[in-house]
Amino acid sequence: MTTAQALTPREAFEVLLAGNKRFVAGSPEHPNQDAARRAETAPAQYPFAVMFGCSDSRLAAEIVFDRGLGDLFVVRTAGHVTGSEVLGSIEYAVSVLGSPLVVVLGHDACGAVAATRAAVEEGTTAGGYVRDVIERVTPSVLATRAAGRTEDADFISEHIRHTVDLLLDRSKVLSEAVAGGRVAVVGLSYRLADGTAHLVTARGLESETASAS
């Protein structure tokens, strides 16, 4: 049984990447999706990873990483923008459930990033709370433009890095867990067409890094 207690941050990361490789290859195992697992996880949950990703309907974490019930603690917002509810949810998974890995999962062709680029470059505006999403993505777009980068992948990667930094800057619980070696925080970029997840940034893993393919 893959649980938070059984895995180090590095091991949890490798389990996650292995599942993505199976998904890409078209040979998913669909682990932990049977009646026995349902009964096993009914009393309590011990997810080995927190998945903070974009709400995009094409980005279902349990599918693209080939996992099942009780494996992932999933938090999703448009453009993976961060607020107090997100931070509280992640802190709960880390401090109460014992998850050793936190993943920020972005993806190409992100509508929130595209809308923010349009707002910055063309002066367009959005109504309602969509404007709040755009405002929270704006620092990432501005930083990418300031660096002279223009490709879609550049904006996506910068926003992933920004989100990882923001989580660690705003959450003392998370930053202390990373400093203590109990938790790693990584940023992955998912490619919609081929299903691969690629490492963008990592905090708390050993110096050697793994790349998903």
Side-chain angles (χ1 to χ4, degrees), residues 75-122:
V75 182
R76 301 176 71 180
T77 64
H80 51 83
V81 297
T82 306
S84 59
E85 298 87 349
V86 167
L87 290 167
S89 297
I90 294 173
E91 287 185 352
Y92 173 78
V94 168
S95 62
V96 178
L97 303 181
S99 300
L101 179 69
V102 175
V103 178
V104 173
L105 183 63
H107 65 95
D108 58 356
C110 177
V113 173
T116 304
R117 290 180 65 182
V120 170
E121 297 167 5
E122 303 167 15

Side-chain angles (χ1 to χ4, degrees), residues 79-206:
H80 51 83
V81 297
T82 306
S84 59
E85 298 87 349
V86 167
L87 290 167
S89 297
I90 294 173
E91 287 185 352
Y92 173 78
V94 168
S95 62
V96 178
L97 303 181
S99 300
L101 179 69
V102 175
V103 178
V104 173
L105 183 63
H107 65 95
D108 58 356
C110 177
V113 173
T116 304
R117 290 180 65 182
V120 170
E121 297 167 5
E122 303 167 15
T124 59
T125 59
Y129 286 101
V130 175
R131 181 178 299 177
D132 184 61
V133 173
I134 289 174
E135 288 175 353
R136 297 190 193 197
V137 180
T138 296
S140 301
V141 170
L142 293 177
T144 307
R145 284 166 55 86
R149 302 189 181 107
T150 59
E151 299 297 323
D152 178 66
D154 297 326
F155 287 91
I156 299 300
S157 294
E158 178 58 36
H159 187 45
I160 292 169
R161 284 190 291 267
H162 176 76
T163 303
V164 168
D165 290 343
L166 193 61
L167 292 180
L168 292 169
D169 287 344
R170 293 188 60 186
S171 172
K172 184 178 180 181
V173 168
L174 193 55
S175 61
E176 288 183 347
V178 172
R182 302 185 302 277
V183 172
V185 181
V186 303
L188 298 178
S189 182
Y190 178 78
R191 295 179 183 173
L192 294 171
D194 62 24
T196 57
H198 298 262
L199 184 66
V200 173
T201 186
R203 305 283 193 89
L205 292 180
E206 295 86 348

